[in-house]
Amino acid sequence: MIELSKYIYENYPGLKNRFAYWQILSLLDKNEDKVITVKDGDKFLGAAMYARVTDDTLWKLQYGFMKVDNPQDALQMLSEKGQNIHFLYLLAGGAKIILRGLREVVRKENPKTISWLSPDMSKLNIWKGRGVLCLR
């Protein structure tokens, strides 16, 4: 978990400005079951942490009432048991790597929707299954 936390902390854009390293390590350690990694041997190609959020929380994310860069909001999302998957932090070297991780999450969780924020956190992307992608 230490290697993964260092990889995320060093490579995720702007994360150092919002979280202390120990907060990332603690989040990963406490939510190991919600972490997806894609590796090539010992090298990380991508990593993501997701939460199972409720429809209400997804709405709050969409309209800016909750923020993934707020540690308290992130903890609240991680404690929920909703039907929607929201990727809190996604770090990947390309679309193929994202799709490898996404397939694993869909197979494991069978969610109603999957959502993530653009890297600059200005746009919420929602995938509703069967190839439908809503950009908000």
Side-chain angles (χ1 to χ4, degrees):
M1 202 52 65
I2 291 174
E3 286 179 40
L4 177 60
S5 62
K6 286 180 182 177
Y7 169 74
I8 291 171
Y9 195 69
E10 293 298 322
N11 294 294
Y12 196 87
L15 194 64
K16 290 180 181 180
N17 299 334
R18 291 175 265 192
F19 286 94
Y21 172 74
W22 66 267
Q23 289 174 307
I24 296 299
L25 180 59
S26 178
L27 272 177
L28 291 171
D29 191 44
K30 291 178 183 175
N31 298 285
E32 193 172 339
D33 61 327
K34 296 174 184 162
V35 175
I36 298 295
T37 60
V38 178
K39 292 175 87 172
D40 183 19
D42 289 339
K43 182 181 176 191
F44 284 104
L45 301 176
M49 176 179 267
Y50 66 90
R52 295 194 59 98
V53 298
T54 62
D55 290 340
D56 185 51
T57 297
L58 191 58
W59 182 88
K60 288 177 182 177
L61 281 166
Q62 184 173 354
Y63 293 103
F65 293 101
M66 288 186 86
K67 305 269 187 201
V68 296
D69 58 354
N70 178 326
Q72 290 78 23
D73 288 349
L75 286 173
Q76 179 183 339
M77 285 183 254
L78 287 165
S79 69
E80 291 184 2
K81 305 280 189 241
Q83 296 179 338
N84 307 293
I85 295 293
H86 181 72
F87 283 96
L88 299 170
Y89 311 107
L90 174 66
L91 181 60
K96 287 183 180 182
I97 295 166
I98 292 171
L99 290 174
R100 279 175 56 187
L102 185 61
R103 274 189 228 108
E104 186 177 332
V105 172
V106 169
R107 194 173 24 251
K108 178 181 172 185
E109 302 288 349
N110 192 26
K112 183 168 106 177
T113 66
I114 295 176
S115 61
W116 65 94
L117 289 163
S118 60
D120 64 358
M121 298 196 181
S122 65
K123 186 187 300 182
L124 181 70
N125 303 289
I126 301 174
W127 180 72
K128 293 185 178 183
R130 295 187 179 88
V132 178
L133 179 63
C134 300
L135 302 176
R136 311 238 175 186

